[in-house]
Amino acid sequence: MNNQRWLSRNFLVFFLTWGVFLPYWTGWLVQAKGLSVAEASLIMGFGLLARGASTLFAFPFVSKYWSSQTVILVLTVCSLVATLLYIPISSFNTLFVVTILFSAVYPALLPAVESTASALVQQGDVNYGKSRSYGSLGFVISVLIVSVVTGYFGEQAILWSMIAGLCFILFIHFLPTPAVLLVKPTIGERKESLTMRSLWQVKSFPIVLLVVVLLQGAHASYYNYGYIYLQNLHIKNYYIGLIINIAIIFEILYFAKADHLFKKWKPSSLLLLAAAGSTLRWILVYLFPNVWMFMFSQSLHALSFGVAHYAFILYITKNLPKQQIPNAQGVYSAFALSLSTAILTLVGGFLYEISPGLAFLGMIVCTVPAILLIVVTRKHYDY
């Protein structure tokens, strides 16, 4: 089994489902299940808290006992079961409970796949950016498919698209897998595995983590309200899918060339570039509330998300031992991709009720401090 091909394929199939979940799930709760924006925001916010707890504690724990392949397989089955529970329910309370269950298992697939990537990269025979670009491609394909099927079959097609995608992941993981990912940790390795506490003792790690927490959390309004925002601008569903994909196209271009273009860049320089691009992005959306500026701002996703994510992967790959990678990925997913986003989703929902554009501008409360933090600490901690 070619490791590069395996990783590219797995990024592709996972992001086929992520392209359903990330841009459409809040909108689906509003449009298909009849919730208000505030109710959907509350549910998604608590879902992110469940996601954070799961990836911070449960994922690193099971990674010490199960092989990487087993972890992904179990999470996929649990995610599919949780998704099926959505079919018969419609009340706020039941949607709240099922979303908590779904959020505890499905998003944990992301750090699981990323951990396999870091492990394969450390072996020296995998180009991370190249494989990750296939994930972005899967996201593009998914958004286009969902935008078309919702145009024909309505918002309920979002749920069925997720079910189909999870079934596809399940099928893929019965195909041949790199041998290193099939081996579960031995008793000796579990005893020698590094604790979460030792991760925090790496002097530069808390600083780098805080920066990416701020930068990734700043996408909360975009992820949860971008779809609804474009609907308020009277954009048809099909075109919404195309507009969302502009960001991912630039993300693909970035990841495809990142290993070559930024080979000599330090993580701190990449994070500073990401923070500046993110700040510019949200200011432009606020100042010019029209579809054309929103489309232009999508090009900055390569900076606000792509560069920040790549910088973190580069940092942990070069600075942490293999045994510490699942812990780092769990912490990153919990704090940067879940907890910060959960808090800012609630803040964004409040601001969105006042003015849609204000929900985006409010995100610079994270990006500006990130810039200052990088400038102050980069030389002292040498990251």
Side-chain angles (χ1 to χ4, degrees), residues 15-21 23-25 28 138-162 227 237-238 240-242 244-245:
F15 277 92
L16 284 173
T17 62
W18 201 244
V20 179
F21 174 71
Y24 292 111
W25 214 247
W28 172 71
F139 193 96
V140 168
I141 294 171
S142 177
V143 171
L144 286 176
I145 291 174
V146 172
S147 65
V148 171
V149 297
T150 53
Y152 280 99
F153 302 107
E155 308 295 333
Q156 193 59 41
I158 293 172
L159 178 64
W160 293 105
S161 297
M162 174 61 80
Y227 178 69
N237 283 355
Y238 175 76
I240 290 177
L242 293 177
I244 290 174
N245 268 341

Side-chain angles (χ1 to χ4, degrees), residues 279-296:
T279 302
L280 177 61
R281 182 182 187 184
W282 310 129
I283 290 175
L284 289 176
V285 173
Y286 172 73
L287 291 178
F288 305 96
N290 60 71
V291 66
W292 300 109
M293 183 53 69
F294 191 91
M295 290 170 62
F296 172 78

Side-chain angles (χ1 to χ4, degrees), residues 79-340:
S79 300
L80 181 58
V81 172
T83 307
L84 293 172
L85 293 176
Y86 274 113
I87 296 175
I89 65 174
S90 59
S91 70
F92 174 83
N93 290 337
T94 53
L95 287 169
F96 184 92
V97 172
V98 171
T99 300
I100 295 298
L101 295 174
F102 177 72
S103 300
V105 289
Y106 168 68
L109 279 167
L110 181 55
V113 175
E114 290 283 5
S115 291
T116 64
S118 296
L120 293 175
V121 168
Q122 285 189 334
Q123 288 189 330
D125 59 350
V126 168
N127 181 310
Y128 175 82
K130 181 179 179 181
S131 288
R132 183 58 177 76
S133 68
Y134 279 87
S136 300
L137 177 62
F139 193 96
V140 168
I141 294 171
S142 177
V143 171
L144 286 176
I145 291 174
V146 172
S147 65
V148 171
V149 297
T150 53
Y152 280 99
F153 302 107
E155 308 295 333
Q156 193 59 41
I158 293 172
L159 178 64
W160 293 105
S161 297
M162 174 61 80
I163 293 172
L166 289 171
C167 289
F168 190 31
I169 294 178
L170 195 59
F171 167 75
I172 287 295
H173 282 285
F174 284 106
L175 299 179
T177 302
V180 67
L181 303 179
L182 295 173
V183 179
K184 67 178 182 179
T186 64
I187 295 176
E189 287 174 332
R190 285 200 293 272
K191 290 181 179 179
E192 295 174 0
S193 72
L194 299 173
T195 63
M196 193 72 75
R197 181 180 297 178
S198 66
L199 179 63
W200 298 105
Q201 292 173 350
V202 179
K203 290 185 178 180
S204 56
F205 181 78
I207 300 297
V208 173
L209 179 66
L210 179 56
V211 171
V212 293
V213 163
L214 292 170
L215 294 182
Q216 298 296 10
H219 292 84
S221 289
Y222 171 68
Y223 290 153
N224 288 283
Y225 310 115
Y227 178 69
I228 301 172
Y229 178 78
L230 290 171
Q231 285 184 324
N232 289 340
L233 292 178
H234 306 294
I235 307 301
K236 294 181 179 179
N237 283 355
Y238 175 76
Y239 295 111
I240 290 177
L242 293 177
I243 292 169
I244 290 174
N245 268 341
I246 293 173
I248 313 305
I249 290 171
F250 279 89
E251 183 182 306
I252 291 172
L253 295 174
Y254 168 73
F255 280 126
K257 299 296 181 181
D259 291 301
H260 301 290
L261 292 177
F262 298 99
K263 187 176 183 179
K264 297 181 179 180
W265 282 51
K266 299 175 69 172
S268 60
S269 299
L270 291 170
L271 291 170
L272 188 60
L273 176 62
S278 185
T279 302
L280 177 61
R281 182 182 187 184
W282 310 129
I283 290 175
L284 289 176
V285 173
Y286 172 73
L287 291 178
F288 305 96
N290 60 71
V291 66
W292 300 109
M293 183 53 69
F294 191 91
M295 290 170 62
F296 172 78
S297 72
Q298 289 288 77
S299 65
L300 296 173
H301 191 74
L303 300 181
S304 65
F305 171 80
V307 174
H309 180 74
Y310 181 82
F312 183 77
I313 298 298
L314 179 66
Y315 172 81
I316 64 173
T317 301
K318 290 186 174 182
N319 293 277
L320 300 180
K322 177 183 176 182
Q323 299 93 326
Q324 198 63 278
I325 295 296
N327 287 338
Q329 287 287 357
V331 170
Y332 173 62
S333 182
F335 287 100
L337 303 180
S338 302
L339 297 179
S340 65

Side-chain angles (χ1 to χ4, degrees), residues 26-27 29-30 34-46 92 96 224-225 228 342 345-354:
T26 302
L29 288 172
V30 173
L35 299 181
S36 68
V37 172
E39 288 174 329
S41 299
L42 183 64
I43 286 178
M44 293 301 290
F46 276 92
F92 174 83
F96 184 92
N224 288 283
Y225 310 115
I228 301 172
T345 293
L346 299 175
V347 173
F350 173 76
L351 294 175
Y352 193 92
E353 295 288 343
I354 299 173

Side-chain angles (χ1 to χ4, degrees), residues 331-380:
V331 170
Y332 173 62
S333 182
F335 287 100
L337 303 180
S338 302
L339 297 179
S340 65
T341 308
I343 295 170
L344 288 163
T345 293
L346 299 175
V347 173
F350 173 76
L351 294 175
Y352 193 92
E353 295 288 343
I354 299 173
S355 171
L358 197 59
F360 296 95
L361 180 65
M363 297 300 103
I364 69 171
V365 73
C366 292
T367 61
V368 173
I371 293 174
L372 297 176
L373 184 60
I374 297 165
V375 171
V376 170
T377 63
R378 62 187 305 190
K379 290 185 179 180
H380 179 71

